[in-house]
Amino acid sequence: MSTLAFHVSEFLRNLQEPAPRASASLAARGVVPTTILVLTGMAVALFLRPSELPACPVDPAASAGLVGLKNGLPRSKESCGIEADGESLSPIAELHAQLKYHSERMESAMGSSDDVDALFIKSRKLFEVLQSLDSRCEEVSEELRSIRAAERTSHSTVRAMSGFHALHGLEEPFREALAALEQSATMLGHRMAIGDMNAEEEFAELIYRRSASRSCLIGAVREARSLAALLPQKDLQIRQAMRCSPSLLLGIETLAIGEAERDGEPITTFGLGLYWSEVSLSGHDVPFLVPYFEPPWVQDGEGLHVPGHLGKAEELLMLGEQLSVGQERKERAATLALRLYQHAKFLALKHHDAAAEWRYRAASRVAAESYRPKLAAHSLARLGYLLMLRGRQQEAIDAAEEALTFSNDKVAGYILGLLRRSAGGSTAEELQRAEELLQEGGQLPSKFEALRSGAHSNLVLWRQVDEAKTMGACFELQDAAYVLICLLGRASFG
């Protein structure tokens, strides 16, 4: 290696010398031209690599700006209600150990009323810890959501990585807190079995807190996955982070999925459904999270085959919506309708028409029931567009007409106007209606707008020719084929 370094340094020094002297100096050492190129490349690599991919940070949490946190918890003791500066155990692990100690004493002959009191005190402290963790989880989730919604800038990558490290920092505190919660649940269950009314109240609070934590976890992981899918993987900072911490969020994602699958509450079940929907629609690996895998296809409730992740997502979403009550059920029904619409578009692009058609109709029905008329209309409008592309013209017209009963959807109007214009035997009134439907633009997707404008101009042109009632009007048409059609029409029908 010292010989190689010597040759590299000599070569770089000789580059500054006149050409004959440099060549002689190198030839005297037996360095051939090919070796020169190799040494040059290695020298460039040695000089460039450190700046291109800098060393991994020693403390990712510190570099992410997680000031004021310890083990994912605020450093303020009062905010958690426990001592937060233990030496051998984290605060949550210490609380878990204390719960286990009192539980074992209560199960043995050594148990006393003091142990029962201690159990309730430690359980309340555990609830306070979880509430603090949930607040932090919500903050991280909202930050990830805002980054995803914001315009992409060079600072977005820094913010995204900061958010990912913040979420990673919550893994161990949540893991310890939820394990401690299971210990508390076991002992409260024993107290309930012997008729302890206080234990029943504590147990109900425990179930609520546990579901809230599990729901927040799976929601934050879903936000992280959505954001990670948008990251430019050629970005230098992202490449460095993927090299240093390729599985940064794998642990907390695995924890979130496992905890959510064990929870039967509507909020967590619905949240898990949203997560699997996100995975299915993404369909590829995203940085820092569990690698994507293509599961076997499954039969849905209608007997149609769909990707496994998508089928699982819909089953969980529907179950979570059905288990909900009151305003929460209405809100989840609206979200379910939107997801069914997104799944329908996804399947239509893959030419799984039957599965897509059912979901468009289901999305419209659920949206209408949850008082979302615009989504109900647009779902049927997109169904009409799919049917029109497949040559099922009358069914497309029926879908578009039904869509317009919910809301004045521009896509439905475009489809209806286009199909009425091209339908044979259309009356003057039907053509006038088609022109009116095609007249309004500006709110259609770009791929529809050009077609709408052309179809509308064509209708206006032929109406003006018809209103002229003369052969001469035919010769004002710019297209020779149009002129011939016009003359033949005049000769045949007057």
Side-chain angles (χ1 to χ4, degrees), residues 169-185:
L170 292 174
E171 178 186 346
E172 284 308 312
F174 263 116
R175 191 182 298 277
E176 293 175 352
L178 289 169
L181 204 65
E182 290 303 313
Q183 183 73 50
S184 181

Side-chain angles (χ1 to χ4, degrees), residues 73 75 77-78 80-86 89-92 94-95 125:
L73 292 172
R75 283 182 177 162
K77 299 176 184 178
E78 291 75 18
C80 294
I82 59 174
E83 290 293 325
D85 52 2
L89 291 175
S90 71
I92 304 174
E94 184 176 351
L95 185 58
K125 287 184 177 180

Side-chain angles (χ1 to χ4, degrees), residues 44-55 234-241 243-244:
V44 171
L46 288 170
F47 278 100
L48 291 183
R49 181 170 179 176
S51 61
E52 183 185 4
L53 289 175
K234 293 184 178 180
D235 182 272
L236 180 60
Q237 295 181 25
I238 298 301
R239 288 170 56 202
Q240 179 199 356
R243 180 175 66 90
C244 297

Side-chain angles (χ1 to χ4, degrees), residues 145-199:
R145 190 180 301 114
S146 66
I147 298 169
R148 180 165 56 89
E151 183 179 353
R152 301 273 85 78
T153 65
S154 58
H155 187 57
S156 299
T157 301
V158 178
R159 289 183 64 199
M161 291 310 306
S162 176
F164 291 160
H165 280 296
L167 181 57
H168 170 74
L170 292 174
E171 178 186 346
E172 284 308 312
F174 263 116
R175 191 182 298 277
E176 293 175 352
L178 289 169
L181 204 65
E182 290 303 313
Q183 183 73 50
S184 181
T186 300
M187 287 314 304
L188 289 173
H190 292 164
R191 298 301 303 172
M192 289 168 58
I194 60 175
D196 190 332
M197 299 298 294
N198 291 331

Side-chain angles (χ1 to χ4, degrees), residues 252-330:
I252 194 167
E253 183 176 28
T254 304
L255 173 67
I257 295 170
E259 290 292 335
E261 287 178 341
R262 287 192 291 273
D263 197 279
E265 294 299 305
I267 185 173
T268 313
T269 301
F270 197 81
L272 185 59
L274 291 174
Y275 166 83
W276 285 116
S277 174
E278 203 73 46
V279 170
S280 180
L281 294 177
S282 171
H284 58 78
D285 287 347
V286 297
F288 313 117
L289 291 129
V290 175
Y292 177 82
F293 67 94
E294 186 69 46
W297 283 49
V298 298
Q299 277 191 333
D300 63 13
E302 300 299 310
L304 303 167
H305 285 84
V306 295
H309 290 326
L310 190 145
K312 183 175 184 178
E314 291 179 349
E315 182 179 351
L316 289 166
L317 288 169
M318 291 178 183
L319 178 60
E321 185 265 337
Q322 291 167 4
L323 292 175
S324 304
V325 294
Q327 185 61 31
E328 286 185 346
R329 180 164 189 175
K330 292 179 182 178

Side-chain angles (χ1 to χ4, degrees), residues 10-19 22:
E10 282 292 285
F11 172 70
L12 294 176
R13 182 178 63 79
N14 285 322
L15 285 178
Q16 301 175 356
E17 299 178 3

Side-chain angles (χ1 to χ4, degrees), residues 37-112:
L37 295 176
V38 172
L39 293 175
T40 305
M42 295 185 71
V44 171
L46 288 170
F47 278 100
L48 291 183
R49 181 170 179 176
S51 61
E52 183 185 4
L53 289 175
C56 301
V58 176
D59 185 4
S63 65
L66 303 183
V67 179
L69 292 179
K70 181 175 182 179
N71 299 311
L73 292 172
R75 283 182 177 162
S76 169
K77 299 176 184 178
E78 291 75 18
S79 63
C80 294
I82 59 174
E83 290 293 325
D85 52 2
E87 295 180 1
S88 60
L89 291 175
S90 71
I92 304 174
E94 184 176 351
L95 185 58
H96 187 187
Q98 292 170 355
L99 281 167
K100 186 176 181 180
Y101 167 76
H102 291 295
S103 298
E104 290 173 349
R105 283 180 57 84
M106 289 169 61
E107 290 176 352
S108 68
M110 295 184 297
S112 66

